[in-house]
Amino acid sequence: MTDRFAGRRIAVTGAAGGIGAAICASLLDEGARVHALDVKGLEVLPAAVDTVEVDLTSEESVVAAVRRLYATDDTPIDLVTCAGIVENDVAAEDMPMSLYDAVMGVNLRGVFMTCREFGRELLVRGGGAIVNVASMSGNAVVNHPQRQSVYNTSKAGVSALTRSLAVEWGPRGVRVNAVSPGYVDTPLNALKKHMHDKWLGETVLGRFGTLREISAAVQYLLSEEAAFCCGTELLIDGGFSLR
Ligand SMILES: NC(=O)c1ccc[n+]([C@@H]2O[C@H](COP(=O)([O-])OP(=O)(O)OC[C@H]3O[C@@H](n4cnc5c(N)ncnc54)[C@H](O)[C@@H]3O)[C@@H](O)[C@H]2O)c1
């Protein structure tokens, strides 16, 4: 336990997922007040975390969540967007548009909407920090053998969104940055266990990234030490993209 984030309120989306839950726990350990947002599964989180059920595909739900968080406390809320879904090995030529809409709806529209709602509140309160969890799949690699053209496209969008918001909001005190993980063993990858050996074989360091390694990068970008980071994307992939 430290007091690195003492006095700070930080909201995390996808908070019940593998990476999101680890980020919540690590921020709690470092003294933050954590608001955990997810559509389901929030009971896995420590009791000290404030849980908020929200569906990021619904504008109404996101707007209501932000309103509730500020209803009784005006302290600015920094944001980590970590919710994401992926199609499970679907060829682009067979992609149903309903699946395209579902993936883009959470991964890009949802992230945009969350940043818009939390960002607006930070702007009127003098600033803050936003960290988007993008992916190496957005820019650094095209994953294989699994086919996930929509996921990759959505994550490229998150990277572009991060840079765009950084330029719009940086001068007004809101730093927007991203962490782009390589492979981490979470429920997101559970349906592709038969591919894990191949992925690890192609990762220079020969292993998955750990939850702690991703959380630490998120913490850095949220912290004062990263005060000069503006639109930075930290690629943490064990060297996967180098091959
Ligand atoms: N695991 C990896 O290898 C990896 C690699 C690169 C990037 N990422 C990214 O990291 C982030 C977290 O991934 P993870 O591995 O923890 O996945 P995960 O599946 O464990 O967690 C994702 C969470 O997002 C939540 N979510 C999904 N749809 C939602 C919605 N409509 N509203 C609110 N919440 C919703 C889920 O309920 C889940 O708790 C994702 O954005 C993912 O794309 C993961």
Side-chain angles (χ1 to χ4, degrees):
M1 290 276 284
T2 73
D3 59 1
R4 187 182 192 192
F5 295 106
R8 304 247 320 249
R9 292 170 87 193
I10 304 173
V12 180
T13 72
I19 295 174
I23 292 170
C24 288
S26 77
L27 291 172
L28 197 64
D29 271 355
E30 307 277 343
R33 287 162 60 199
V34 179
H35 302 289
L37 280 56
D38 207 304
V39 72
K40 61 176 165 41
L42 287 161
E43 60 283 353
V44 301
L45 293 162
V49 168
D50 172 43
T51 55
V52 186
E53 204 173 295
V54 59
D55 179 356
L56 298 178
T57 63
S58 156
E59 184 171 18
E60 200 184 356
S61 179
V62 175
V63 169
V66 175
R67 191 172 302 142
R68 166 197 176 296
L69 291 177
Y70 279 109
T72 54
D73 188 341
D74 202 40
T75 311
I77 306 171
D78 295 318
L79 172 68
V80 180
T81 67
C82 193
I85 59 174
V86 64
E87 69 268 36
N88 183 32
D89 192 19
V90 183
E93 67 271 25
D94 298 326
M95 187 72 64
M97 291 317 289
S98 56
L99 184 53
Y100 175 98
D101 289 342
V103 174
M104 294 297 269
V106 176
N107 292 13
L108 188 52
R109 184 175 183 273
V111 172
F112 181 88
M113 223 152 53
T114 314
C115 287
R116 186 191 71 183
E117 290 304 308
F118 280 90
R120 186 190 303 115
E121 300 297 334
L122 287 175
L123 288 167
V124 298
R125 287 170 177 77
I130 294 175
V131 179
N132 294 321
V133 179
S135 174
M136 68 173 178
S137 314
N139 299 298
V141 304
V142 173
N143 305 69
H144 66 99
Q146 73 273 31
R147 293 156 300 176
Q148 48 180 56
S149 56
V150 182
Y151 177 85
N152 298 345
T153 304
S154 72
K155 290 298 182 176
V158 173
S159 297
L161 176 64
T162 300
R163 294 191 300 274
S164 303
L165 297 180
V167 169
E168 281 197 40
W169 294 349
R172 290 185 280 160
V174 178
R175 294 187 303 106
V176 186
N177 295 289
V179 169
S180 281
Y183 288 114
V184 182
D185 194 6
T186 69
L188 191 81
N189 295 320
L191 294 177
K192 304 192 187 91
K193 287 224 182 288
H194 55 293
M195 297 179 187
H196 286 191
D197 285 347
K198 183 170 176 53
W199 297 348
L200 300 188
E202 293 180 20
T203 303
V204 175
L205 298 186
R207 64 171 175 85
F208 283 110
T210 66
L211 298 174
R212 189 179 150 78
E213 287 160 347
I214 306 305
S215 306
V218 170
Q219 282 199 7
Y220 167 67
L221 289 173
L222 286 170
S223 75
E224 281 308 307
E225 286 80 32
F228 203 47
C229 289
C230 176
T232 298
E233 183 170 340
L234 288 181
L235 177 63
I236 301 182
D237 70 348
F240 186 93
S241 57
L242 298 175
R243 285 194 165 151

